[in-house]
Amino acid sequence: MIIILILLTFSFQPIQVYEYQLDNWLKVLIYEDHFAPVVSVQVCYRVGSYNEQPGHTGISHLLEHMMFRGTKKFGPKEYDRLIDEAGGEENAFTSTHQTVYWANLYKDRYELALMLEADRMQNLLLAEKEFVPEKQVVMEERRLGENDPYGTFFETADHIIFLQHPYRQPVIGYMRDLQNIKRDDVYHWYRKYYNPANAIIIISGDVKREEVLSVVKKYFGRIKPLFAQEAEYYEPPQNGERRFTLIKKEVNQPALIINYRAVNISHPDAYVFEVIRMILASGKTSRFEKILVREKGLAADIDAYTSLLKYDGTFSIFAIPQIGIELENLEKEIYAEIERLKRGEVTDEELQKAQNQTLANFTFRQDSPSGIGFAIGYWEILTGSWKNLNLYPEKILGVTRADIERVANQYFKEENRTVGYLLPGR
């Protein structure tokens, strides 16, 4: 109860982000937080697996690796060494719609990260002698994923859910594509997407916005822009249930996935899906845990999750049955819980708990300068404006029992779902 009261008091205060755009179209978002003497510098490029063409899947992630392999001024791994010697931490990640480089430093040292990022935005070497071994590192990551039966299961599901859309492609890329990608392919990818017009710099923490903006202009202001138009792909509505079975000898226990096509992140129903996820699968008091795990003893593990992206989305349930339980029986009981949602069987207390849990997760992800920076970048790139971050609590609290019943009936239909069985092989 104490946690809930704290959330109701503090989480709904909108954050103030100062937004600027330089003459070269570089967007700069600054969030001042003087609680601790820490600054997070993040450079987000609007490129990820969504932008990749067949034959070049994984190229965004491969370039992310190469960004640490040296520029004309700084040698391989010099970026890591300099940030480390300054007492900071750094890393990067690639996702469907963005590639993000970040560094956290003491407040008087953030300029170092900006200087290094501006340098590698312009001067990446992509030397062949560095490219070959780094590509092997990425291929090994891919190989590890292929040896993970659950990773293969989820990847197979994406191929069946999205028949045409780039969301079917894994961020890591396919092994054959990684084998065939050349150094020059990565260089052209770098030149196309890594420039001010396709980037956002987010600085959050103990800074004064006038000072930090001056530093950004100093390092990035003269870099020339290059505009990259993003194609918008369309996946037709699903018109019938799709089912698949994957048999893997590495699997000891079978598993089940049920996926429904849902909505993109900007759709009003996205917030309803977030609350439904909490009702079904968040914590020990969720329906799946109470009924399917403890009362009926059907599931050993069960979870639900949303993947609501820029252009489309899904709602998925993943479950592992208890020993001796048939997947068919577990699947049937999951549908029984979904039917309860369709009949409007949600209490006010259950709805409020799910809303509180949703907002707790939302708030806890922003408990540091880097966390809030990631949130600002995520909402800016996926929804078109960081300001939608401030609307999230209000939208979640606006979800009603009638919304849940309507969304359950509209989307949780047989003709809109994909069901996969993962079975042990011999």
Side-chain angles (χ1 to χ4, degrees):
M1 180 58 75
I2 292 174
I3 293 175
I4 292 171
L5 290 174
I6 290 172
L7 287 171
L8 292 174
T9 303
F10 295 105
S11 66
F12 308 142
Q13 298 298 319
I15 63 169
Q16 177 62 59
V17 177
Y18 297 93
E19 181 173 341
Y20 306 91
Q21 186 162 287
L22 306 191
D23 292 341
N24 60 7
W25 294 88
L26 177 65
K27 179 169 280 192
V28 184
L29 301 176
I30 301 172
Y31 173 73
E32 293 188 21
D33 179 356
H34 303 287
F35 180 76
V38 178
V39 177
S40 182
V41 174
Q42 301 175 9
V43 181
C44 306
Y45 293 95
R46 301 173 188 272
V47 63
S49 60
Y50 173 83
N51 307 90
E52 298 166 351
Q53 297 299 310
H56 281 171
T57 62
I59 194 170
S60 302
H61 176 246
L62 178 54
L63 174 55
E64 177 213 308
H65 276 242
M66 288 304 299
M67 287 288 281
F68 294 89
R69 304 299 289 188
T71 68
K72 297 174 183 175
K73 187 175 182 180
F74 300 100
K77 299 296 182 182
E78 282 289 285
Y79 179 97
D80 312 71
R81 183 184 65 79
L82 291 168
I83 295 293
D84 184 62
E85 288 179 355
E89 57 179 0
E90 46 74 30
N91 211 330
F93 63 87
T94 305
S95 62
T96 307
H97 285 289
Q98 60 177 337
T99 307
V100 180
Y101 301 86
W102 60 269
N104 298 332
L105 291 150
Y106 192 72
K107 67 177 183 179
D108 65 355
R109 299 167 194 185
Y110 71 85
E111 183 172 350
L112 172 64
L114 287 170
M115 182 271 289
L116 291 169
E117 292 295 354
D119 176 59
R120 63 181 179 178
M121 183 185 282
Q122 306 169 84
N123 301 314
L124 194 66
L125 275 180
L126 281 164
E128 189 72 26
K129 66 178 181 180
E130 300 292 336
F131 175 72
V132 173
E134 197 62 37
K135 191 170 81 165
Q136 293 298 321
V137 171
V138 174
M139 289 169 61
E140 184 59 24
E141 287 184 20
R142 168 72 206 187
R143 199 168 289 113
L144 289 172
E146 291 175 350
N147 291 333
D148 176 357
Y150 295 126
T152 306
F153 188 44
F154 294 134
E155 187 172 301
T156 304
D158 286 339
H159 292 160
I160 295 171
I161 296 162
F162 292 107
L163 300 179
Q164 305 177 33
H165 203 280
Y167 287 164
R168 73 198 309 272
Q169 299 172 172
V171 172
I172 189 72
Y174 299 115
M175 182 62 84
R176 184 175 177 81
D177 292 348
L178 293 172
Q179 290 169 335
N180 291 333
I181 291 173
K182 304 292 190 293
R183 178 266 177 197
D184 286 353
D185 298 325
V186 179
Y187 178 78
H188 291 311
W189 198 252
Y190 168 67
R191 281 303 177 204
K192 181 176 182 179
Y193 288 107
Y194 279 52
N195 67 80
N198 202 50
I200 303 167
I201 292 183
I202 300 162
I203 300 164
S204 59
D206 194 7
V207 294
K208 294 179 180 177
R209 59 185 181 278
E210 298 85 359
E211 292 178 5
V212 76
L213 182 62
S214 176
V215 177
V216 171
K217 288 179 178 177
K218 172 183 173 183
Y219 290 108
F220 291 88
R222 294 184 179 178
I223 304 176
K224 293 182 180 179
L226 179 65
F227 295 93
Q229 189 70 33
E230 182 172 272
E232 184 171 346
Y233 299 96
Y234 172 73
E235 179 78 18
Q238 193 162 324
N239 57 5
E241 185 187 56
R242 300 169 187 170
R243 302 187 72 92
F244 71 97
T245 299
L246 186 66
I247 300 173
K248 300 283 288 184
K249 64 181 180 181
E250 302 89 349
V251 174
N252 295 319
Q253 188 71 356
L256 162 71
I257 188 169
I258 302 171
N259 178 285
Y260 295 93
R261 286 282 298 282
V263 296
N264 65 50
I265 191 173
S266 298
H267 193 285
D269 289 343
Y271 304 95
V272 186
F273 280 108
E274 296 279 26
V275 173
I276 288 175
R277 180 173 70 92
M278 291 296 172
I279 291 173
L280 292 178
S282 178
K284 297 295 183 184
T285 59
S286 67
R287 290 188 176 189
F288 283 167
E289 177 69 25
K290 281 196 302 184
I291 299 171
L292 301 185
V293 175
R294 285 184 276 145
E295 289 181 16
K296 297 187 177 180
L298 296 171
D301 189 20
I302 184 167
D303 200 358
Y305 52 93
T306 58
S307 178
L308 310 176
L309 299 176
K310 189 173 182 178
Y311 299 113
D312 210 322
T314 60
F315 182 94
S316 301
I317 298 163
F318 174 76
I320 297 174
Q322 293 199 15
I323 294 175
I325 300 298
E326 298 292 332
L327 284 176
E328 290 82 358
N329 291 339
L330 179 56
E331 181 186 353
K332 180 181 175 183
E333 291 297 328
I334 290 172
Y335 294 149
E337 291 305 316
I338 287 175
E339 289 302 314
R340 290 180 60 200
L341 296 178
K342 291 181 175 179
R343 294 193 296 268
E345 294 180 17
V346 177
T347 66
D348 289 335
E349 292 75 15
E350 201 172 22
L351 172 60
Q352 184 176 5
K353 178 170 70 80
Q355 289 169 322
N356 287 336
Q357 291 173 324
T358 307
L359 293 175
N361 287 345
F362 171 77
T363 303
F364 294 157
R365 286 197 294 267
Q366 302 170 42
D367 65 353
S368 65
S370 57
I372 203 162
F374 292 142
I376 291 168
Y378 179 84
W379 285 88
E380 176 71 22
I381 289 178
L382 266 73
T383 73
S385 174
W386 63 268
K387 295 174 184 175
N388 291 312
L389 176 68
N390 282 336
L391 300 178
Y392 188 87
E394 174 188 336
K395 296 290 187 182
I396 290 296
L397 290 176
V399 173
T400 66
R401 292 165 55 196
D403 288 330
I404 294 170
E405 182 179 350
R406 175 184 57 77
V407 165
N409 279 286
Q410 182 173 346
Y411 299 95
F412 294 158
K413 298 185 292 189
E414 181 176 355
E415 61 267 30
N416 191 44
R417 76 185 177 213
T418 299
V419 181
Y421 281 13
L422 177 63
L423 301 176
R426 294 181 179 176

